[in-house]
Amino acid sequence: MSWIEDPAFGPDHPFGPQTLPYGVVDGQGVAVRVGDHALPLRPIAGSFSERLEELVAADSLDAVLAAGRPVWSELRARLTELVTAGSAPRCAKLLPLSEVTNRLPFTVADYVDFYSSRHHAENVGRMFRPDGDPLLPNWTHLPVGYHGRAGTVVVSGTDVIRPNGQRKGPNDPAPVYGPSTRLDIEAEVGFVCGGPATSRVSVNKAPEHIFGVALVNDWSARDLQAWEYVPLGPFLAKSFLTSVGAWITPLDALSQARVVPPPLGNELQDYLVEDRPLGLDLQLEVRWNGTLVSRPPFATMAWTCAQQLAHMTVNGATVRPGDLFASGTVSGPEKQERGSFLELSWGGKEPVLLDDGTERSFLEDGDTVVITATAPGPDGSVVGFAEVSGTVHAAPVD
Ligand code: MN
């Protein structure tokens, strides 16, 4: 029996000893989540080996990320021993999650966002380019992505201020400036990088550079996007805010969640061919003001995080500790599996009914969106992912 007296810390709970995600708690530094508590590591740093002691006593996960996979494995093994032991390490304290404030747990270096759901790409293609082929010809040959804005990646719970910007609908004679009228979400899965900075990461060595996984909400202003995105892609429609979950689930916790992704339907360049594909069977859930509106299945994603990282660095670009890349909106084949409101409401034509009786196509001020996920863990257990949430607030008045 573990010394941790938290009913949510059993192996049949998503945040049991099989999960152990890392975060940073205000005033405490690096912590690990055990059930519904945070276990700050600084007070028990003396219970770790010399090389781990400094890392766990830090104010952020930056040094852990830089340390690389052998250290990540050693740290997780030691943590597992400590939290499953019969007696508490000296000076250990457990803080209820309801009483702590999480900080963004690492310094985000570069941020890249992919577009790796075939269903999402086809849905958006149908809406934005109704006269063309919904999938562009490059999509099945390379993981399409773009560089996002690292400086506005924020931790879950941070307020979402509706962005101002330019839009021009088909019936507008001239562009209009003002608050976005089509504010949306993108339910995504993010990958936090670490290990030595390097380029040309082999697709089969990608796990050496992927520390862990966190849910991402890539808030998107669809009206701004539709006007600005040609010819260079997303810009202000997405750079105003990107939210990530406060607790990062180690990739090591997902060994039972691996799946083979659906086939792309054509031969791939050698640098994208994995010996053992790193598809992951996460089941996401999206709640809009408390109503479960979608259950996007991550197992349906066509490109894996390993392929994304290999592609991102094949040209000589480096991956550094703290780099974050996200999967792209996760949408499954069914309507109730779509990971954006643009798709769920089909561009506003089919509003979504919430439990309070109101209808929505896009976000209104005061709305809250919470994305959660689970994945299969060892021995029939479930691995949980910390929620990524945000509440929308009115645009600033110019
Ligand atoms: Mn996105």
Side-chain angles (χ1 to χ4, degrees):
M1 284 296 285
S2 165
W3 61 273
I4 296 175
E5 290 175 16
D6 178 337
F9 190 60
D12 50 358
H13 187 280
F15 294 97
Q18 72 281 9
T19 306
L20 301 181
Y22 298 96
V24 167
V25 170
D26 194 28
Q28 303 288 336
V30 173
V32 66
R33 177 169 173 176
V34 287
D36 295 327
H37 285 82
L39 173 65
L41 300 186
R42 188 182 296 150
I44 59 168
S47 300
F48 292 86
S49 68
E50 207 171 318
R51 79 166 169 174
L52 296 180
E53 195 174 339
E54 203 176 319
L55 305 183
V56 302
D59 283 328
S60 85
L61 287 172
D62 291 354
V64 172
L65 296 184
R69 180 148 290 287
V71 174
W72 303 339
S73 300
E74 182 186 334
L75 175 57
R76 182 167 164 84
R78 181 61 183 140
L79 266 177
T80 304
E81 284 176 1
L82 289 171
V83 299
T84 55
S87 58
R90 209 163 61 83
C91 304
K93 54 180 176 181
L94 288 172
L95 307 174
L97 292 183
S98 57
E99 294 173 17
V100 304
T101 302
N102 282 88
R103 293 189 165 279
L104 185 65
F106 63 101
T107 307
V108 181
D110 287 307
Y111 168 51
V112 163
D113 193 27
F114 285 95
Y115 192 59
S116 290
S117 158
R118 180 188 290 263
H119 305 288
H120 173 70
E122 288 179 343
N123 286 339
V124 172
R126 284 188 191 105
M127 278 183 271
F128 276 45
R129 299 183 308 275
D131 301 326
D133 193 335
L135 214 55
L136 291 172
N138 60 2
W139 196 90
T140 59
H141 292 274
L142 55 82
V144 170
Y146 71 97
H147 279 92
R149 186 169 181 83
T152 32
V153 174
V154 299
V155 72
S156 174
T158 303
D159 285 346
V160 181
I161 311 296
R162 181 180 300 273
N164 285 315
Q166 283 195 31
R167 62 179 181 274
K168 183 180 178 304
N171 303 319
D172 292 330
V176 177
Y177 173 84
S180 170
T181 58
R182 294 190 140 208
L183 185 58
D184 195 0
I185 67 154
E186 291 192 337
E188 305 198 17
V189 175
F191 297 88
V192 180
C193 298
T198 184
S199 67
R200 299 179 58 82
V201 175
S202 145
V203 71
N204 292 315
K205 295 237 169 90
E208 301 299 308
H209 296 275
I210 299 174
F211 170 75
V213 180
L215 298 178
V216 168
N217 190 341
D218 177 26
W219 306 93
S220 299
R222 300 302 179 191
D223 43 353
L224 278 54
Q225 183 179 353
W227 170 229
E228 74 174 5
Y229 89 108
V230 178
L232 283 182
F235 191 26
L236 303 189
K238 286 160 179 288
S239 62
F240 61 96
L241 204 74
T242 308
S243 301
V244 295
W247 298 94
I248 300 167
T249 304
L251 194 61
D252 284 338
L254 299 175
S255 54
Q256 303 300 308
R258 290 177 74 145
V259 289
V260 177
L264 286 153
N266 47 242
E267 290 289 305
L268 294 180
Q269 302 290 334
D270 287 347
Y271 78 91
L272 292 169
V273 177
E274 298 175 82
D275 291 342
R276 192 174 157 241
L278 195 47
L280 294 170
D281 182 18
L282 276 64
Q283 180 64 61
L284 278 61
E285 294 190 340
V286 180
R287 286 181 173 76
W288 194 346
N289 294 347
T291 302
L292 178 63
V293 293
S294 180
R295 302 187 75 238
F298 193 67
T300 62
M301 300 297 276
W303 295 97
T304 71
C305 57
Q307 291 172 313
Q308 290 166 336
L309 184 56
H311 183 67
M312 204 160 69
T313 59
V314 74
N315 65 344
T318 48
V319 57
R320 291 181 292 170
D323 280 2
L324 171 71
F325 63 97
S327 60
T329 308
V330 184
S331 288
E334 306 299 327
K335 178 167 183 176
Q336 64 277 14
E337 296 177 337
R338 296 173 185 164
S340 72
F341 299 154
L342 175 75
E343 294 164 89
L344 273 175
S345 73
W346 206 255
K349 293 192 182 80
E350 301 166 22
V352 177
L353 180 65
L354 302 186
D355 289 346
D356 65 3
T358 61
E359 286 188 340
R360 291 285 191 289
S361 292
F362 294 97
L363 288 159
E364 295 183 5
D365 293 345
D367 283 359
T368 296
V369 176
V370 179
I371 305 168
T372 55
T374 55
D379 306 318
S381 65
V382 168
V383 171
F385 293 80
E387 67 174 38
V388 59
S389 73
T391 297
V392 177
H393 296 263
V397 177
D398 289 333

